[in-house]
């Protein structure tokens, strides 16, 4: 009976019907809990058993948190799991003590204990939260959810849909998660990939839509390792934000939209399809397009398409870094299967349980990759000398990619680096603290691809 209730709650959360609004600064009352606990969820198609997951508040994904820009988010994290955990607020330019990285910004919260997260959210946009203690396993088991920071003047759309894309590695007979989270093949190759891909905790999500309806779609890649390559059919529009940060002007949606692990994109689209269906499709390993989210079209929201949307309002503190003054840094990414590391180097690494290095070092260790002064501009070149792509994520600050022609790209918190290529990013180190810099293919992060910078 309990399982039925949990599943129904999970479904409702998936439909965005139970959006929770954060309590805003009231010191007299205890903060709203956010509870890590076991739950059952119907991830696999109907007819398959439910899957036991680790959840926030019993739902998969966790509850959708919505907070007005500039407000305080307060949550009492309650750990009802039997392992330590912590919560990271991904992409939020946050006070370092609230960043949730066990071992760097706080101690992991033991079973039965609590931790009060309390911080101001400076930027509007699409963010997410997830476990940052043994995250390779804990995120794969379900500990993630959307965090939406609302603009004071939201764009004029008919509906705002959060689409949290994920995959799960399930035993095809029992629909339970494959429990080996440290398989050397995952650690040393592309990471842990699921065999079932879905959205908002379900395989094959279907939403209803009306012709000429205008939708804001907030796509979040919550998968451990999967790079989503997406295209739209029967929907056309613009991308208006990347990794939470508004673009200066709405841009055409690329024919193939690439979303690396942890990246987000905000789209404003109109339902323009002639048929009864529109879809977000995903390019599969079989080189075929598969439906990721289907939209069943019935009725009309208006007779005609509307004009192009206005840009989203800019967030504060988006000034580009001063490249001329920037300190150059280089971070070599090495190791992994089929890489150029020598056999003896590789064997040495594997003895420490690692397969990868960042800047010549496996794991965060005691000393930072770089010691930076507050306000210092930095250009950081990632040299990907491996046979795999890596989604490099910096906590606490957004960066801009330095493009080939020297111009700066949009603000992001995660950049997808490709095998054998180098990618330079630039940022102003304006947020003091110890900030993790790691690959968001979480098996890679666990096997050496975690580093940090110190801003003082
Ligand atoms: Cu990686």
């Amino acid at each position: 009976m309990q399982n039925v209730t949990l599943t129904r709650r999970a479904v409702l959360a998936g439909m965005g019907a139970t959006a929770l609004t954060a309590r805003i600064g009231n010191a007299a009352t205890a903060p709203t809990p956010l509870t890590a606990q076991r739950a059952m969820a119907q991830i696999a198609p109907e007819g398959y058993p439910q899957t036991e997951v680790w959840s926030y508040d019993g739902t998969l994904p966790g509850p959708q948190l919505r907070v007005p820009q500039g407000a305080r988010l307060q949550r009492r994290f309650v750990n009802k799991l039997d392992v330590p955990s912590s919560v990271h607020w991904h992409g939020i330019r946050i006070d370092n003590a609230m960043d949730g990285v066990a071992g760097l910004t706080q101690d992991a919260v033991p079973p039965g204990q609590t931790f009060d997260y309390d911080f101001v959210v400076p930027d509007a946009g699409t963010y997410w939260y997830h476990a940052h203690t043994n995250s390779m396993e804990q995120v794969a088991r379900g500990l993630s959810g959307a965090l939406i920071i609302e603009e004071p003047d939201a764009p004029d759309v008919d509906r705002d849909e959060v689409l949290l894309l994920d995959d799960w590695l399930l035993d095809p007979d029992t629909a339970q998660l494959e429990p080996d989270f440290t398989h050397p093949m995952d650690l040393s190759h592309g990471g842990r990939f699921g065999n079932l891909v879905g959205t908002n905790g379900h395989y094959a999500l279907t939403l209803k839509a009306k012709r000429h309806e205008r939708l804001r779609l907030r796509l979040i890649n919550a998968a451990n390792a999967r790079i989503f390559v997406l295209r739209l059919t029967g929907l056309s529009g613009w991308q208006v934000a990347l990794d939470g940060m508004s673009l200066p002007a709405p841009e055409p949606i690329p024919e193939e939209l690439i979303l690396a692990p942890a990246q987000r994109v905000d789209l404003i689209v109109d339902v323009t399809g002639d048929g009864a269906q529109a879809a977000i499709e995903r390019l599969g390993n079989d080189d075929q397009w598969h439906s990721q989210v289907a939209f069943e079209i019935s009725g009309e929201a208006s007779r005609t398409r509307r004009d192009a949307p206005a840009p989203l309002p800019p967030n504060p503190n988006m000034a580009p870094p001063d490249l001329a003054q920037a300190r150059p840094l280089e971070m070599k990414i090495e190791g992994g299967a089929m890489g150029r590391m020598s056999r003896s180097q590789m064997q040495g690494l594997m003895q420490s349980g690692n397969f990868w290095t960042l800047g010549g070092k496996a794991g965060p260790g005691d000393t930072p990759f770089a010691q930076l002064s507050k306000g210092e501009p930095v250009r950081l070149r990632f040299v990907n000398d491996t046979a795999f792509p890596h989604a490099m994520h910096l906590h606490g600050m957004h960066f801009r990619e330095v493009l080939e022609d020297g111009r700066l790209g949009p603000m992001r918190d995660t950049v997808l680096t490709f095998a054998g290529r180098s990618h330079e990013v630039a940022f102003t180190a304006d947020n003091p603290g110890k900030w993790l810099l790691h690959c968001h293919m979480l098996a890679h992060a666990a096997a050496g691809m975690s580093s940090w910078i110190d801003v003082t």
Side-chain angles (χ1 to χ4, degrees):
M1 197 58 208
Q2 192 193 11
N3 292 352
V4 174
T5 312
L6 288 172
T7 303
R8 191 186 297 131
R9 287 174 63 193
V11 168
L12 287 171
M15 301 290 284
T18 58
L20 302 181
T21 302
R23 189 185 300 248
I24 300 168
N26 181 351
T29 54
T32 309
L34 181 70
T35 305
Q37 61 190 79
R38 287 172 190 261
M40 302 300 291
Q42 189 69 46
I43 299 174
E46 293 300 329
Y48 282 87
Q50 294 189 330
T51 304
E52 184 181 290
V53 297
W54 294 358
S55 76
Y56 292 115
D57 290 359
T59 72
L60 186 82
Q64 189 187 111
L65 305 180
R66 280 192 176 255
V67 190
Q69 183 175 15
R72 250 168 96 187
L73 188 149
Q74 294 172 287
R75 280 289 183 284
R76 174 160 294 170
F77 174 62
V78 181
N79 186 5
K80 289 193 179 164
L81 299 171
D82 49 20
V83 291
S85 192
S86 61
V87 186
H88 171 57
W89 312 90
H90 186 114
I92 303 290
R93 297 191 284 180
I94 204 171
D95 177 10
N96 190 244
M98 295 289 123
D99 200 42
V101 179
L104 188 67
T105 67
Q106 68 168 92
D107 293 332
V109 182
Q113 306 271 308
T114 68
F115 185 92
D116 288 351
Y117 290 99
D118 182 350
F119 53 89
V120 170
V121 286
D123 301 314
T126 301
Y127 303 90
W128 63 304
Y129 61 98
H130 62 78
H132 222 304
T133 302
N134 187 18
S135 54
M136 172 175 61
E137 175 175 356
Q138 296 196 2
V139 175
R141 286 192 183 274
L143 289 171
S144 68
L147 171 55
I148 306 302
I149 314 299
E150 295 171 331
E151 298 91 6
D153 293 310
D156 178 25
V157 296
D158 296 316
R159 254 163 63 207
D160 183 327
E161 293 280 356
V162 177
L163 301 171
L164 193 125
L165 314 181
D166 206 346
D167 65 358
W168 303 275
L169 186 56
L170 302 183
D171 180 314
D173 295 322
T174 63
Q176 298 312 299
L177 286 160
E178 287 288 353
D180 182 0
F181 291 91
T182 54
H183 199 288
M185 184 76 176
D186 294 339
L187 296 174
S188 63
H189 288 68
R192 179 183 166 107
F193 289 94
N195 52 6
L196 188 74
V197 182
T199 308
N200 294 348
H202 300 282
Y203 170 74
L205 181 70
T206 300
L207 301 174
K208 299 214 179 303
K210 294 178 178 154
R211 196 166 322 279
H212 296 135
E213 193 173 17
R214 177 159 282 186
L215 311 173
R216 178 177 187 167
L217 303 176
R218 302 173 183 263
L219 275 58
I220 302 170
N221 183 350
N224 262 39
R226 183 177 298 276
I227 300 165
F228 282 88
V229 179
L230 305 166
R231 73 174 185 190
L232 306 183
T233 60
L235 302 168
S236 39
W238 301 264
Q239 54 182 10
V240 294
L242 292 170
D243 295 353
M245 293 292 170
S246 58
L247 296 171
E251 291 176 3
I253 299 169
E255 249 167 66
E256 294 188 359
L257 186 62
I258 296 175
L259 210 57
Q263 288 185 327
R264 289 89 65 210
V265 62
D266 282 46
L267 307 176
I268 292 183
V269 300
D270 295 327
V271 180
T272 53
D274 288 331
Q277 281 241 325
I280 300 173
E281 295 181 317
R282 168 182 64 84
L283 187 62
N285 296 340
D286 56 2
D287 230 21
Q288 304 289 312
W289 292 94
H290 302 268
S291 177
Q292 176 73 28
V293 181
F295 295 83
E296 279 175 5
I297 305 172
S298 68
E300 257 190 1
S302 75
R303 286 283 176 80
T304 52
R305 258 195 100 178
R306 274 173 264 186
D307 294 337
L312 294 180
N315 280 320
N317 189 15
M318 290 182 79
D322 182 355
L323 280 187
Q325 301 296 321
R327 184 194 326 186
L329 296 170
E330 184 176 287
M331 175 176 267
K332 231 178 183 189
I333 305 171
E334 295 174 284
M338 300 175 286
R340 299 202 303 172
M341 214 174 241
S342 72
R343 177 179 282 254
S344 63
Q345 272 178 304
M346 208 65 210
Q347 278 168 345
L349 253 186
M350 285 161 63
Q351 272 165 15
S352 66
N354 290 299
F355 287 96
W356 310 88
T357 57
L358 291 179
K361 213 169 78 174
D366 294 330
T367 50
F369 167 74
Q371 182 70 54
L372 304 171
S373 306
K374 187 176 177 233
E376 186 177 6
V378 178
R379 21 191 336 165
L380 167 59
R381 179 175 292 279
F382 296 110
V383 179
N384 182 343
D385 196 15
T386 77
F388 293 89
H390 300 285
M392 296 304 297
H393 169 48
L394 175 63
H395 288 215
M397 287 159 282
H398 276 57
F399 47 59
R400 294 175 185 269
E401 190 162 359
V402 183
L403 305 173
E404 273 171 19
D405 61 8
R407 284 180 310 126
L408 289 168
M411 285 182 90
R412 302 209 72 146
D413 59 45
T414 305
V415 61
L416 181 58
T417 73
F418 293 101
R421 297 259 308 270
S422 74
H423 302 254
E424 191 177 34
V425 299
F427 63 99
T428 307
D430 53 10
N431 197 359
K434 295 176 166 143
W435 300 110
L436 206 66
L437 172 59
H438 68 102
C439 179
H440 226 284
M441 278 79 170
L442 297 174
H444 294 173
M449 289 191 71
S450 293
S451 185
W452 59 288
I453 60 171
D454 192 14
V455 181
T456 53

